[in-house]
Structure formats: structure tokens, C-alpha cells
Amino acid sequence: MTTHRVGVIGGDGIGPEVVSEALKVVRAAGVDLELTEMDLGGARYLRTGELLPDEALDQLRALDAILLGAVGTPEVPPGVLERGLLLRLRFELDLYANVRPFASAERDLVVVRENTEGTYAGEGGFLRRGSPHEVATQGSVNTRMGVERCVRYAFELAGSRPRRHLTLVHKTNVLTFAGDLWQRAFDEVGAQYPDVATGYDHVDAACIHLVGSPRRYDVIVTDNLFGDILTDLAGAVTGGIGLAASANLNPARVGPSLFEPVHGSAPDIAGTGRANPLAAIRSAAMMLDFLGEADAAARMTKAVLDVAGALATSGTADRRTAELGDAVAERV
Ligand code: IPM
Ligand code: MN
């Protein structure tokens, strides 16, 4: 049996609570992990002023995968932890495919969100800040290489699923430069995947379809910001954000990939034992799958979905964190 070396960033708020349930379920599934606990997040920042020191990044680079709970505390202003820790990890580790699966009785889709470019790249700045003539620009960076590798990953994923369908979501009617590059990359890569049927929707229309036509989508590929927004909506219509898992992948496997629930640190319920650990458990299942533990991953995912389904029908939404972790662990 292989031992996988996993960096654990519990983070802030409910992060450590949901991660500990995820690790409980991994153990129950019989997979052996060698854990390296990393002290990163808002608490460390407030204590030491450090976000992601180079030594911590080097330590993470040497591991097989990273499991992250959530980062963020109300005392730290917006943007600091997001850019300095979360996005820095995505960029430094080149985690270019953000894979977010959504499943419910009516929907079974995966969003592949480009994760290193677009408006998230940090291009732009201020002129005359604070004056009445202030200007702020925030550019969208789209490289042919960056778009193409993300689109290629999405075609590979779509080709591995029964429906073999991939939809590009963008806003080509208005974002005519970025949209054009995305559309051409999509068409050219798609020509190499004749078995995958393709579609295109503008992002605003995709919001309507996500809500109103549950079976329209199989795999969606889209840019960083559209993917951010679309996956919150997809989460909301498929059992809520408490179930939304994600994998930040470096498909080339140059360094570790990072797995995290889509939700945040929820400081308002931290320590109450009321956090829903299902998204974190499902994220850990995605991690095992990427580490080659397909069987354990499938058992974990099924157990999470079974427990989520039982929760939805029994209407007892306020089950305790550990109770839910136990319920999933018993089923794997
Ligand atoms: C997400 C989050 C992050 C994002 C934030 C916290 C930087 O909303 O993972 O979806 O915008 O990507
Ligand atoms: Mn988001």
C-alpha cells in the first residue's frame, strides 16, 4: 500500500473542524496518509504578519497533495488572505484546472474553471487614487497556452464521462478579444476530440439554464471569474454550498494539487459543532481519486451523496459536524 504525503491546511473558522471529519473518513476508507499540518491562514497572519512564507511553500511543493479547510477571519481586511495565500497557492503551484462537481437527483455536471488567469491575474492598478479623477483598471489576462491547457483538460474529462458533452461558457458577444481567443482554442482543441459533443452558452444564459434546464450540462469549461460565479449558483441549485467540493489541479502533476470545499470559514458558526463537513469530505475523495485511490474515492463520494440525500429528505439540516462525519465513515 502506498502512503501519500498530504499537507493539511485546516485554516480558520470551521476549516479545521471540517478537515478533521474528512480525515476521519479517509481513515475509515482504509487509505494511509502521512500528514504534515501547516499553520497557515488568518490566525497566523494576525500573529506574525506572514501569509505564505517561502519555506512553507517549499515544504508544500515536496508533498503529494494538499487538503485545505477554509481561510479567513473578520479581523483581516478583504483581499489579503485571498491574494496572499489562496490565489498565491493556485498560481505558484500552477493549479490551472479548478474542477467542481455538482450532483443532485436532477443534475450531474462538472465545471472546469480556469484557475490562474483572467481577472484574477492581478493585472491593472490605480491612477490618481483618492482624487475625484481616480481611475482603476483590472484587466483580464488570457494566454493562448493557459486557455488551451484548461480546455484540453476539460475535453479529456468530458471524454471520460458517459455523456461526453462539453459546453464552453463565456461572453463572446461582448468580450470580443478574450472570447475570440477562448472560442478558437476550444474549437481547435475540440477537433482532436471527435467523440466529445460540444456546445456554447453565454454566461448570463448559462445561469438561466443551470436553474431551469437541469440536464443541459455535462461538463462546462469557463474562465476564472465566470467559473467563480457559476459554481456558487451551481452549488445553490444542487444541495447547497455545504456540499460543493473542489479540486485545484495541476494535471501535469508538476507538484501537488490542492483540494478544498468551495465554502468559506464561516466564523459565525465556528466552534459550535454545526458546520457541514460533507463538502470537505467530498474534496478529500477527489484528492484520493487524483492520488490513484479510485476505489476508496468512489466509496467516499457515494457515502457523501447518500448522507446528503438522507439529510435532504429527513429535513434535519442541523445535524452535528462529527455526527455527519461518523455517518459518512460508517458507509465507506
Ligand atoms: C472560491 C473563492 C475564492 C475565489 C476566493 C476566496 C478568493 O470564492 O474558491 O470560489 O474567488 O476563487
Ligand atoms: Mn467563489
Side-chain angles (χ1 to χ4, degrees):
M1 189 164 77
T2 331
T3 302
H4 308 282
R5 296 160 309 151
V6 172
V8 180
I9 306 174
D12 306 305
I14 63 169
E17 302 168 32
V18 295
V19 160
S20 107
E21 298 308 312
L23 293 172
K24 179 199 278 180
V25 177
V26 169
R27 276 193 299 276
V31 176
D32 202 19
L33 301 182
E34 183 188 311
L35 304 179
T36 305
E37 298 273 350
M38 303 292 298
D39 173 23
L40 295 169
R44 172 158 180 184
Y45 177 70
L46 290 171
R47 222 174 47 244
T48 70
E50 293 165 305
L51 287 162
L52 180 59
D54 290 342
E55 311 84 72
L57 189 56
D58 288 344
Q59 221 180 328
L60 288 170
R61 279 189 207 284
L63 301 171
D64 298 322
I66 302 165
L67 185 63
L68 186 146
V71 296
T73 55
E75 298 85 15
V76 180
V80 175
L81 292 161
E82 288 86 344
R83 289 219 85 87
L85 181 51
L86 274 183
L87 299 186
R88 181 141 183 258
L89 282 168
R90 291 178 188 174
F91 295 171
E92 291 276 1
L93 300 173
D94 208 17
L95 307 175
Y96 64 82
N98 190 327
V99 181
R100 298 183 162 183
F102 300 93
S104 65
E106 299 164 308
R107 293 178 184 76
D108 178 13
L109 70 130
V110 183
V111 177
V112 178
R113 162 186 173 188
E114 201 292 319
N115 213 28
T116 58
E117 303 194 336
T119 46
Y120 277 65
E123 197 255 5
F126 294 107
L127 291 175
R128 304 187 287 264
R129 185 166 182 275
S131 85
H133 302 280
E134 173 164 352
V135 179
T137 62
Q138 191 98 44
S140 174
V141 175
N142 300 265
T143 70
R144 176 63 198 226
M145 177 278 295
V147 171
E148 193 171 310
R149 65 185 184 174
C150 175
V151 163
R152 187 174 299 283
Y153 176 81
F155 270 105
E156 288 286 335
L157 177 65
S160 75
R161 290 166 56 90
R163 271 184 71 187
R164 282 187 265 134
H165 189 276
L166 178 65
T167 307
L168 171 64
V169 169
H170 207 281
K171 186 75 185 174
T172 54
N173 54 341
V174 175
L175 306 184
T176 50
F177 310 132
D180 186 68
L181 188 155
W182 271 85
Q183 184 76 67
R184 276 182 289 118
F186 184 80
D187 292 344
E188 285 167 32
V189 174
Q192 297 163 21
Y193 294 85
D195 294 351
V196 178
T198 57
Y200 171 82
D201 281 326
H202 293 319
V203 64
D204 47 353
C207 291
I208 299 177
H209 296 315
L210 258 183
V211 175
S213 334
R215 270 174 268 274
R216 184 180 180 90
Y217 298 120
D218 178 21
V219 180
I220 287 175
V221 64
T222 190
D223 92 344
N224 209 336
L225 183 59
F226 294 148
D228 178 47
I229 299 166
L230 216 52
T231 54
D232 267 20
L233 178 61
V237 295
T238 50
I241 204 75
L243 201 57
S246 81
N248 296 265
L249 300 182
N250 179 300
R253 296 177 188 267
V254 181
S257 291
L258 182 151
F259 302 81
E260 60 173 339
V262 175
H263 64 69
S265 59
D268 51 324
I269 60 161
T272 65
R274 303 227 159 267
N276 182 347
L278 295 180
I281 301 171
R282 186 155 193 211
S283 302
M286 295 179 82
M287 176 177 82
L288 293 192
D289 191 55
F290 197 69
L291 290 172
E293 303 282 354
D295 175 63
R299 281 184 282 125
M300 274 176 69
T301 305
K302 183 174 185 308
V304 168
L305 295 177
D306 285 352
V307 169
L311 266 188
T313 50
S314 70
T316 49
D318 65 334
R319 292 269 294 275
R320 316 286 302 179
T321 308
E323 225 183 294
L324 285 170
D326 290 342
V328 180
E330 277 160 24
R331 284 176 168 76
V332 297

